[in-house]
Amino acid sequence: MDYICVTSLNDLQKYLNGAAIVAFDFETSPDDEYRNEEKSALDPHKAHIAGMSFSVSEGSAIYVPIAHKTGKNIEKHDELMKYLQSAIFENHNIIKVAHNLAFEAMFLYSKGIIVREPCYDTIAAAQLTLKSKWEFRSLADSGLKLLAASLFGADMPDFQTVTGGRYFDELYPQDYETIRYACADSDYTLRLYHRFNDWFDRFLPKHRYIAEKVESPTSVYVGIMKYNGIPVDRDAMLKKQAEAEEKISSLKAEIDEITNGVNIGANAGTSAFKQYLYQDLRLPVLKTTEKYQEAADDQALLMLRSWCQKNKPELVRLFDLVQEYRKWGKLKSTYIDGYLEHINNATGRIHPDLMPLGTETGRFAARNPNLQNCPRKDNDPIGVRSFITAPEGKAILSLDFSQIELRVGAVYCRDEKMLETYRTGGDIHAQTTSIIYKIPFKEAADKNNPHYKEHRTIAKNCNFGVFYGLIANGLKRTLQFKAGLKTTKEECENIINNLKDGYPGLAKWQRDTIKTAANTCYTETWLGRRRYLIGMLSEDWGKKSFAERCALNTPIQGTAADILKLACGRIITYTADT
């Protein structure tokens, strides 16, 4: 390999001059005050770039030491960053390639640099390529060293082997092993760029477009979001934590009075509590787990509560207390304790991990913590959303794509009634209420109608569920456990039939989509993001019906996700240009 260390700006410019594609990678190390803190080297608020590697051709790369504590670093550091900003990272004529681009974008953003298109994230491209006939690579399958070994037979040493427990800025930058480790990252990133694009061009050209124009700009935006984080009010969280502990303790005491101190644990899901319900109280088993054991989840307890209303009304209070106990326990453990645990001590903010390809439909996922899953205001006595507060002199804007999945569904179905409702700015839920109850639109939209709230709730659940193949039993359960409405299976069948009669384009699209998926064993979004559905070939009804539902929901959810990601790229362009 032609790997060298470069310590002059002139030599760096000579290497990069005239390149149309530049792969790059950063080696980072913690700032002095955070050197004893785990994973601080990955946090741009606590770490710095120790060095950068670049590759413009396969088998060739340079390492540029910037902040090593030993050896020689590059001269004219300020001039270096200005040059890289204008000549490389914000240059519209150069394709910038990185493996996990969000990481590099985050560190560059901390220096006021925004990676501009064209850019390319090979970790995203990896997840858009197949590892077997029917299965795309997951994030766990897409590590650089794993891919280099499996696709090129490369033997790349791991970080611990090279550093021996030290930070990267403690290594001697002119040492061959230091240079080889750093340079190999950018070299093999460039190789992956070519390998994946060749694969896309041969097998899935639309995925190349998604990698280049959707996922890669999104990676840059993810880096910016990760760096900025979420501002939170820690004092308010601590106050609510104490209130929650008091409430949970009070509920526990009431439950103990009824059960004579049965151990219910933190979530009222212990085997002792199940034994109390099904053996001591001899309540009927209305639901079982996948292993055919007595269930005690929320749905099972709601079913038992309903049974007790008729047969043992004295036990209704117990189920109300347990549900409240579980709700407060969940709110405290997930949204107070969990959020507090992830407040960054350098910024006072939460910086969650965002995964643009965290689901098979292409929708975002988040962890550490999952800030995409804040509880609804109407089911949150703590007020979790109020923990997020704007810094002084700033404001937080709440923006939303209005009914994006329903609008996407209307486009797919090409149903004239749906499309006309959206074209004229109409109320789709009132329109659906009118259809399923066969009443005039004016009556369906009348908020003073005594049935308005119930009918609208049913219409909403139909709109958001039937698009995805919801059947009568599923609608019945959804209405009972999410909306508290009791309906019969026959009523739900009638509602769904009326809906399909009123929106004829919906039923036709569903039939055609399932038929196509049965023939191809995959479904796609509008932009061509593919999801394989091998379950379409299964003789198992459960597996096949799940695959059919995926055939319906993936085009809608996935297209909505693609729209969101395209918007992320446009925001970067607009922000950088202004």
Side-chain angles (χ1 to χ4, degrees):
M1 302 299 179
D2 184 14
Y3 295 165
I4 61 171
C5 179
V6 167
T7 55
S8 80
L9 182 56
N10 187 51
D11 288 342
L12 170 65
Q13 291 170 330
K14 283 181 181 178
Y15 181 79
L16 297 176
N17 186 43
I21 306 169
V22 176
F24 67 101
D25 183 78
F26 296 166
E27 304 299 340
T28 60
S29 297
D31 299 335
D32 289 342
E33 61 185 299
Y34 298 108
R35 287 183 97 76
N36 293 323
E37 191 173 309
E38 189 179 1
K39 295 185 179 180
S40 56
L42 307 178
D43 183 347
H45 296 284
K46 301 177 180 181
H48 55 273
I49 301 172
M52 303 178 179
S53 65
F54 300 91
S55 176
V56 298
S57 61
E58 295 186 14
S60 161
I62 60 170
Y63 179 59
V64 182
I66 295 173
H68 279 259
K69 294 180 176 296
T70 61
K72 185 179 180 182
N73 291 308
I74 192 167
E75 303 164 353
K76 302 177 182 179
H77 177 265
D78 291 340
E79 290 183 28
L80 165 73
M81 296 311 297
K82 288 178 183 177
Y83 163 73
L84 290 174
Q85 179 174 6
S86 61
I88 305 297
F89 298 127
E90 295 185 1
N91 188 333
H92 290 288
N93 298 313
I94 292 177
I95 301 172
K96 286 76 66 179
V97 185
H99 196 78
N100 191 12
L101 179 58
F103 180 79
E104 275 74 17
M106 179 172 61
F107 272 86
L108 287 171
Y109 184 69
S110 72
K111 297 182 176 299
I113 300 171
I114 297 176
V115 178
R116 304 293 297 275
E117 290 189 63
C119 56
Y120 194 99
D121 187 357
T122 50
I123 203 170
Q127 294 171 81
L128 292 166
T129 57
L130 290 169
K131 68 174 182 179
S132 64
K133 185 177 181 181
W134 303 104
E135 190 176 8
F136 288 100
R137 288 184 173 87
S138 67
L139 183 61
D141 301 316
S142 302
L144 178 59
K145 291 172 176 55
L146 178 62
L147 291 170
S150 61
L151 297 180
F152 303 107
D155 181 18
M156 296 173 67
D158 62 49
F159 185 82
Q160 288 299 325
T161 301
V162 171
T163 60
R166 294 170 291 172
Y167 289 113
F168 209 84
D169 63 358
E170 295 172 327
L171 302 183
Y172 190 72
Q174 280 73 45
D175 183 79
Y176 173 72
E177 288 302 319
T178 304
I179 298 168
R180 182 171 77 112
Y181 177 86
C183 287
D185 284 352
S186 55
D187 176 18
Y188 280 97
T189 294
L190 185 63
R191 294 174 191 237
L192 288 176
Y193 168 82
H194 292 300
R195 176 64 66 91
F196 289 146
N197 280 349
D198 287 345
W199 188 91
F200 290 140
D201 292 344
R202 289 176 62 198
F203 302 111
L204 263 176
K206 290 180 180 179
H207 271 216
R208 177 169 181 173
Y209 176 87
I210 292 170
E212 293 178 335
K213 301 299 183 182
V214 180
E215 295 298 342
S216 296
T218 297
S219 294
V220 176
Y221 195 71
V222 164
I224 294 172
M225 286 195 289
K226 173 81 172 177
Y227 179 82
N228 287 333
I230 308 295
V232 292
D233 186 340
R234 187 172 182 274
D235 291 338
M237 294 167 76
L238 290 171
K239 182 179 178 182
K240 290 294 184 180
Q241 185 183 53
E243 290 179 17
E245 287 171 352
E246 187 176 336
K247 179 67 174 179
I248 291 168
S249 179
S250 172
L251 290 167
K252 176 69 163 53
E254 284 194 71
I255 293 170
D256 284 347
E257 255 186 68
I258 297 174
T259 64
N260 292 320
V262 169
N263 175 27
I264 62 172
N267 193 41
T270 62
S271 57
F273 183 56
K274 289 182 186 179
Q275 180 177 319
Y276 174 76
L277 293 177
Y278 295 112
Q279 296 182 30
D280 297 354
L281 296 180
R282 298 185 181 279
L283 295 179
V285 178
L286 302 177
K287 183 185 177 186
T288 60
T289 66
E290 290 183 359
K291 296 182 178 179
Y292 304 104
Q293 302 295 314
E294 299 93 338
D297 58 11
D298 286 340
Q299 189 179 47
L301 294 187
L302 284 171
M303 293 169 74
L304 286 171
R305 183 190 185 281
S306 181
W307 184 88
C308 286
Q309 278 184 310
K310 295 180 181 178
N311 301 282
K312 290 191 174 184
E314 70 276 9
L315 290 177
V316 170
R317 175 63 178 162
L318 170 63
F319 292 104
D320 289 341
L321 288 169
V322 168
Q323 286 299 108
E324 193 74 358
Y325 177 78
R326 281 183 164 180
K327 181 172 78 174
W328 278 88
K330 169 80 172 177
L331 289 169
K332 178 181 177 294
S333 63
T334 302
Y335 302 110
I336 302 180
D337 300 346
Y339 284 9
L340 282 168
E341 179 186 348
H342 289 100
I343 293 178
N344 188 301
N345 59 355
T347 66
R349 298 186 175 202
I350 295 174
H351 302 265
D353 296 329
L354 301 166
M355 296 166 288
L357 286 163
T359 67
E360 289 189 81
T361 60
R363 297 171 84 182
F364 267 89
R367 64 186 180 193
N368 299 323
N370 181 5
L371 280 170
Q372 292 184 190
N373 192 30
C374 285
R376 299 192 311 270
K377 291 180 181 179
D378 60 0
N379 192 36
D380 176 17
I382 287 175
V384 170
R385 292 169 188 257
S386 66
F387 295 159
I388 301 172
T389 57
E392 190 157 349
K394 305 289 184 181
I396 291 177
L397 296 178
S398 178
L399 306 175
D400 187 20
F401 286 100
S402 174
Q403 299 176 351
I404 184 171
E405 292 188 5
L406 293 182
R407 292 174 189 270
V408 169
V411 171
Y412 268 109
C413 292
R414 308 309 298 171
D415 185 272
E416 277 306 314
K417 194 168 286 188
M418 285 185 188
L419 292 171
E420 184 62 20
T421 300
Y422 281 120
R423 287 192 194 108
T424 58
D427 183 342
I428 192 68
H429 297 314
Q431 182 66 65
T432 299
T433 300
S434 170
I435 285 172
I436 62 180
Y437 289 104
K438 297 186 176 181
I439 58 178
F441 179 86
K442 187 175 180 180
E443 182 182 340
D446 182 5
K447 294 182 180 180
N448 295 318
N449 186 311
H451 300 295
Y452 173 81
K453 187 174 181 181
E454 179 178 327
H455 285 180
R456 189 172 179 84
T457 298
I458 291 172
K460 275 188 175 183
N461 279 280
C462 283
N463 280 335
F464 289 113
V466 177
F467 260 120
Y468 303 148
L470 186 67
I471 58 177
N473 279 330
L475 179 59
K476 180 177 181 292
R477 285 194 300 269
T478 298
L479 293 175
Q480 181 178 355
F481 299 116
K482 288 190 176 180
L485 298 175
K486 291 185 178 180
T487 52
T488 66
K489 180 182 176 183
E490 291 71 27
E491 287 174 325
C492 289
E493 284 177 345
N494 191 48
I495 287 170
I496 291 173
N497 289 335
N498 287 347
L499 179 70
K500 290 183 176 181
D501 288 341
Y503 292 141
L506 168 62
K508 182 179 185 304
W509 173 75
Q510 288 181 327
R511 288 193 302 270
D512 292 347
T513 300
I514 289 173
K515 183 179 179 180
T516 300
N519 291 329
T520 63
C521 287
Y522 67 77
T523 188
E524 291 182 328
T525 68
W526 198 270
L527 293 181
R529 186 190 300 272
R530 185 173 294 186
R531 179 181 184 181
Y532 283 98
L533 302 170
I534 190 63
M536 296 297 293
L537 302 176
S538 178
E539 295 182 1
D540 182 296
W541 179 87
K543 291 180 180 178
K544 186 169 183 177
S545 63
F546 175 75
E548 289 176 347
R549 290 195 299 275
C550 289
L552 297 175
N553 71 39
T554 297
I556 296 175
Q557 290 184 350
T559 299
D562 288 344
I563 291 169
L564 172 63
K565 291 176 179 180
L566 286 169
C568 290
R570 292 180 184 182
I571 290 170
I572 293 172
T573 299
Y574 175 81
T575 303
D577 286 344
T578 56

